[in-house]
Amino acid sequence: MPTAGTGPRVRRLDHPDADVRPRALGLPRGRPVLAVFGSADALDTDLAASVLPVLRAVLAAAAAADAVVITAGADTGVTHLLGLAAESLDGRWPRMVGVAPSGRVAAEDAEPADGEVRLNVNHDTAVLVPGSKWGEELPALFRAVDAVAGSKRPALALLIGGDDLARAALVDHLGRDRPLLVLAGTGGLADEIAGGPAASTASAAQVASNAAAGATVASAASETPVAPAAATGAPSSGAAPVAPTAASAEPAVDTRADVPAERDDDLAVLVRSGQVALVHLDEGADKVVAVVRRVVGNRPGAKLHADVPPPAVWPRLRFRVPEPHPVIDPGYVLDYPLLADAIHEANQVVAPALHECEVAALRSRERARLLVVLAIAAGFATTVFAALQVWLRDQPWPGVLLAVSGAAAAVLAVVARGGEDTGAQVRAERLRALYFDHLAAPPAADDDERDERARELATAVARLRHESVSRT
């Protein structure tokens, strides 16, 4: 795991077609991969503010799945936002690897020359490929994906914005029968995918499920059309939707690699027939995270373990999840009809997340109490064995049991001291405060303002659920 602000370890390939050896480059092996492709130009402020919570939640989910995030590495556009999202996770972000052409980035402490950009400092490793144009690093990037994921672990691509340079990248990615997650509403080719025709549609959850199982399904979203377009892992242009005109077909920078026209047709076929899930930015981070978890969280042998559970030798302590209760009495809707819409929105958006955090806090509290009880029992056993040792002076076994029980009591006492997860309780308190803040806001003037507040509420809930909570 990198340390914020220290910069990536730079590894250089001797030749553009050189083999990517994980051990020589300091890359992990046998890990799921999340490849983030997107726009390189600075995103609009409002768009960046909406994308940042999604990236924060995605990185948290990738870290929980022990996945490796692979990007273009340059400190611009979506990759820059990814670095900001990593900093907000307080050191608990996943391993991040950047792959870039050596002639377009300033490595280590060197000052960027004309046409160069810095590497993002929150990446762990930067693999530099000989080349002077964006796009020349793509073959090495996909070799790095293959080296890290291998043949048994999944590799998911996340598309945010992008331009025509993506076509070559996504043809390679989808051509390997690997899943793609498109974040619509971020402009560029991502919005072209969301707004074009498709042969068939399905739900994003089913696409993620089929992708995790290794099946091939149609391009998907919840009743949302899909079109043949995508974005590149190399830096790309703007965040606004791009119409398929002759002007937009040209790369933003003339030094980048040319994209053959045949790639467009190939990508159209692969998007329609491949594993493509479509989630709109307004739907919040939770739906994006659900797809990421279903794909990168698919571990080898998971289905076998699910079908053949381990033998129940020891009794299992059952934790009964409490039933969700309304935050406020439903009768208040009758007493205060002007709050009816706000209460309904808060119950739909905030209450489920609040209940989830409260259950997590209760579960950790019960676990900590169980550890305390076990520590007390181990201490009592230590006292009993000490008495037996005094009574049976010539027997060695009471002394052995005395040492074991004493060590167990000490370990359980230490574990129980930090066993309770206060982060879940803090999140629950913040979500409860958000619930009542939403009720205290003045009524919306019209439907547009009401929809905007609903989107802001969903974004705030996603941020509070996934941001790191420091212990004080």
Side-chain angles (χ1 to χ4, degrees):
M1 182 179 298
T3 303
T6 59
R9 296 190 300 269
V10 177
R11 300 289 186 266
R12 298 178 183 271
L13 296 182
D14 296 333
H15 190 271
D17 298 328
D19 292 336
V20 175
R21 302 181 182 276
R23 181 173 300 178
L25 298 176
L27 302 180
R29 292 181 294 177
R31 303 260 288 272
V33 174
L34 175 65
V36 180
F37 302 150
S39 302
D41 295 342
L43 275 66
D44 179 77
T45 303
D46 293 337
L47 178 60
S50 300
V51 171
L52 187 59
V54 175
L55 292 178
R56 185 185 296 117
V58 166
L59 286 183
D66 198 24
V68 177
V69 178
I70 297 182
T71 73
D75 192 26
T76 57
V78 172
T79 307
H80 176 72
L81 283 181
L82 202 67
L84 292 180
E87 289 181 0
S88 67
L89 294 179
D90 193 23
R92 291 186 289 270
W93 67 82
R95 184 80 175 266
M96 295 175 62
V97 177
V99 182
S102 59
R104 305 298 293 173
V105 295
E108 298 169 334
D109 296 333
E111 289 296 325
D114 187 22
E116 292 184 345
V117 294
R118 294 184 182 276
L119 293 170
N120 185 268
V121 297
N122 292 317
H123 281 56
D124 181 73
T125 304
V127 179
L128 300 188
V129 184
S132 59
K133 296 181 180 179
W134 288 110
E136 294 181 348
E137 80 285 355
L138 290 180
L141 186 147
F142 285 106
R143 291 200 302 273
V145 172
D146 293 337
V148 174
S151 59
K152 297 182 178 180
R153 304 313 298 268
L156 171 68
L158 172 62
L159 170 62
I160 303 175
D163 65 4
D164 286 345
L165 288 176
R167 303 183 192 277
L170 293 186
V171 164
D172 289 339
H173 180 81
L174 294 174
R176 289 174 167 85
D177 194 23
R178 284 174 170 166
L180 169 66
L181 172 58
V182 179
L183 186 61
T186 54
L189 295 178
D191 282 359
E192 290 186 18
I193 291 178
S200 60
T201 59
S203 67
Q206 183 172 356
V207 169
S209 177
N210 292 338
T216 302
V217 297
S219 307
S222 299
E223 301 299 330
T224 305
V226 179
T232 183
S236 57
S237 64
V242 181
T245 61
S248 64
E250 295 296 327
V253 181
D254 56 4
T255 57
R256 298 178 180 179
D258 294 331
V259 179
E262 294 80 1
R263 294 280 188 173
D264 196 8
D265 296 333
D266 293 342
L267 186 60
V269 174
L270 290 171
V271 166
R272 286 193 177 189
S273 62
Q275 307 173 47
V276 181
L278 179 63
V279 179
H280 198 279
L281 183 62
D282 291 341
E283 296 181 80
D286 289 345
K287 287 195 175 182
V288 180
V289 170
V291 178
V292 173
R293 286 175 177 171
R294 292 292 296 274
V295 177
V296 302
N298 183 35
R299 297 181 178 275
K303 187 175 186 301
L304 175 63
H305 293 309
D307 294 341
V308 186
V313 178
W314 300 100
R316 296 181 179 180
L317 298 177
R318 182 179 300 174
F319 174 77
R320 293 177 175 84
V321 178
E323 293 293 330
H325 297 285
V327 180
I328 61 175
D329 193 291
Y332 280 104
V333 177
L334 300 177
D335 298 335
Y336 303 97
L338 293 178
L339 293 178
D341 291 339
I343 292 175
H344 176 73
E345 293 170 354
N347 287 338
Q348 292 293 323
V349 179
V350 184
L354 174 60
H355 177 67
E356 179 183 341
C357 292
E358 288 179 340
V359 169
L362 180 60
R363 190 189 300 273
S364 66
R365 189 181 307 118
E366 294 295 331
R367 186 185 301 113
R369 290 175 179 175
L370 176 61
L371 291 174
V372 170
V373 171
L374 293 177
I376 294 174
F380 178 75
T382 302
T383 304
V384 172
F385 293 139
L388 287 175
Q389 180 64 54
V390 173
W391 183 30
L392 304 174
R393 295 178 180 272
D394 298 332
Q395 298 295 329
W397 61 268
V400 175
L401 295 178
L402 172 64
V404 172
S405 61
V411 170
L412 288 171
V414 172
V415 174
R417 187 180 306 170
E420 185 172 353
D421 182 14
T422 59
Q425 183 62 37
V426 172
R427 291 188 182 94
E429 293 173 357
R430 292 178 179 176
L431 286 169
R432 186 176 294 274
L434 177 64
Y435 186 99
F436 288 101
D437 286 344
H438 183 69
L439 299 187
D446 50 26
D447 291 340
D448 292 338
E449 184 178 353
R450 185 179 297 108
D451 294 341
E452 179 65 23
R453 286 187 181 181
R455 287 193 294 268
E456 292 177 355
L457 184 63
T459 302
V461 169
R463 176 177 56 82
L464 293 177
R465 284 184 62 187
H466 298 290
E467 70 178 356
S468 60
V469 178
S470 59
R471 295 185 178 182
T472 57

